[in-house]
């Protein structure tokens, strides 16, 4: 497939890129600084500002799918505003380009931990991640009203961390997946990338949110 990837140098995106290339997909990466990415077979890097819908549209045109792992950075003081601004520009650009399939990497905060209670609304939710989590939840709510795109939104579990690629994972939808004993479920970043690329190759959560954990 011909896939456009946004956020390829980030925590999750940097695992999605090799997963796509290793499976033989042609990948176009949108990057503000293309020189950050070394040349590889199957990879094309284009300069684009994801805050500009027109630049996004030009870069993703004629692709089979777009994966957005966009995140302005957890240390960004305006993460809420920038996350939504960038994400909305990406959605708009994808639609302008006529691409139907969009997969968005979100956060764990909007997963339900009890009926009517999402993780981000619990007292224990870390303050440093709250604004980003609230922005990701707002984006999910906006996507639920989106009719022009075949979108999917993946929420990682709480324990998203570096680790090995096992190729194995469990799937869920809107609820936080249970872990072992009292520990919350986790997943390695490479295995999250496996779940993301699997969803692109064989869509099972179109117009839905899903989660994955080891």
């Amino acid at each position: 497939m011909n896939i456009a990837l946004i956020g390829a140098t980030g925590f999750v995106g940097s695992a999605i890129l090799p997963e796509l290339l290793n499976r033989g997909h042609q990948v176009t990466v949108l990057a503000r600084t293309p020189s950050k990415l070394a040349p590889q077979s199957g990879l094309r890097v284009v300069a684009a500002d994801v805050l500009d819908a027109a630049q996004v549209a030009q870069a993703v045109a004629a692709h089979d799918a777009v994966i957005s792992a966009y995140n302005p950075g957890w240390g960004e003081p305006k993460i809420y505003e920038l996350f939504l601004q960038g994400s909305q520009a990406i959605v708009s650009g994808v639609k302008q380009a006529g691409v139907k399939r969009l997969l968005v990497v979100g956060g764990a905060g909007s997963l339900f931990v009890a009926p009517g209670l999402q993780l981000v609304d619990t007292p224990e939710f870390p303050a440093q991640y709250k604004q980003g989590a609230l922005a990701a939840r707002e984006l999910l709510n906006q996507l639920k009203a989106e009719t022009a795109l075949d979108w999917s939104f993946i929420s990682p579990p709480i324990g998203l961390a570096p680790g090995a690629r096992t190729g194995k994972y469990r799937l869920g939808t809107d609820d936080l997946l249970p872990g072992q004993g009292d520990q919350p479920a986790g997943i390695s970043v490479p295995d999250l990338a496996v779940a993301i690329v699997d969803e692109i190759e064989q869509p099972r959560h179109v117009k839905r949110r899903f989660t994955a954990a080891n």
Side-chain angles (χ1 to χ4, degrees):
M1 297 172 68
N2 198 9
I3 298 170
L5 174 61
I6 298 166
T9 60
F11 187 51
V12 176
S14 60
I16 297 173
L17 178 57
E19 186 66 29
L20 287 168
L21 293 173
N22 288 340
R23 297 199 199 187
H25 297 292
Q26 298 296 308
V27 183
T28 299
V29 165
L30 284 64
R32 185 171 291 179
T33 311
S35 60
K36 287 185 177 180
L37 287 147
Q40 295 181 65
S41 177
L43 172 64
R44 184 170 73 101
V45 183
V46 298
D49 183 353
V50 299
L51 299 179
D52 186 323
Q55 290 188 35
V56 173
Q58 184 176 13
V60 307
H63 286 73
D64 298 309
V66 178
I67 300 173
S68 175
Y70 169 70
N71 188 321
W74 292 108
E76 166 59 54
K78 295 183 178 179
I79 186 172
Y80 183 89
E81 294 83 1
L82 285 174
F83 182 90
L84 284 177
Q85 183 183 350
S87 298
Q88 288 163 357
I90 290 164
V91 169
S92 177
V94 171
K95 290 198 290 185
Q96 287 176 36
V99 179
K100 292 283 290 181
R101 187 74 173 116
L102 171 65
L103 188 150
V104 175
V105 180
S110 57
L111 290 168
F112 286 90
V113 295
L117 179 64
Q118 292 177 327
L119 182 64
V120 69
D121 295 322
T122 61
E124 302 82 15
F125 195 84
Q128 67 265 36
Y129 300 126
K130 186 148 190 173
Q131 290 306 307
L134 290 173
R137 177 169 70 180
E138 176 59 27
L139 174 61
L140 174 59
N141 290 335
Q142 292 175 8
L143 285 171
K144 287 177 179 178
E146 181 57 60
T147 56
L149 295 175
D150 290 335
W151 62 269
S152 298
F153 184 102
I154 185 166
S155 287
I158 294 174
L160 176 63
R165 181 194 187 281
T166 70
K168 299 176 182 178
Y169 57 87
R170 295 175 288 146
L171 286 171
T173 53
D174 289 319
D175 294 330
L176 192 70
L177 289 171
Q180 296 291 328
D182 295 331
Q183 297 299 313
I187 194 169
S188 71
V189 180
D191 278 343
L192 185 71
V194 173
I196 289 167
V197 180
D198 283 352
E199 175 65 26
I200 288 292
E201 292 180 345
Q202 297 182 316
R204 289 189 280 179
H205 303 90
V206 175
K207 293 184 168 64
R208 292 177 64 194
R209 182 256 294 278
F210 69 107
T211 186
N214 290 132

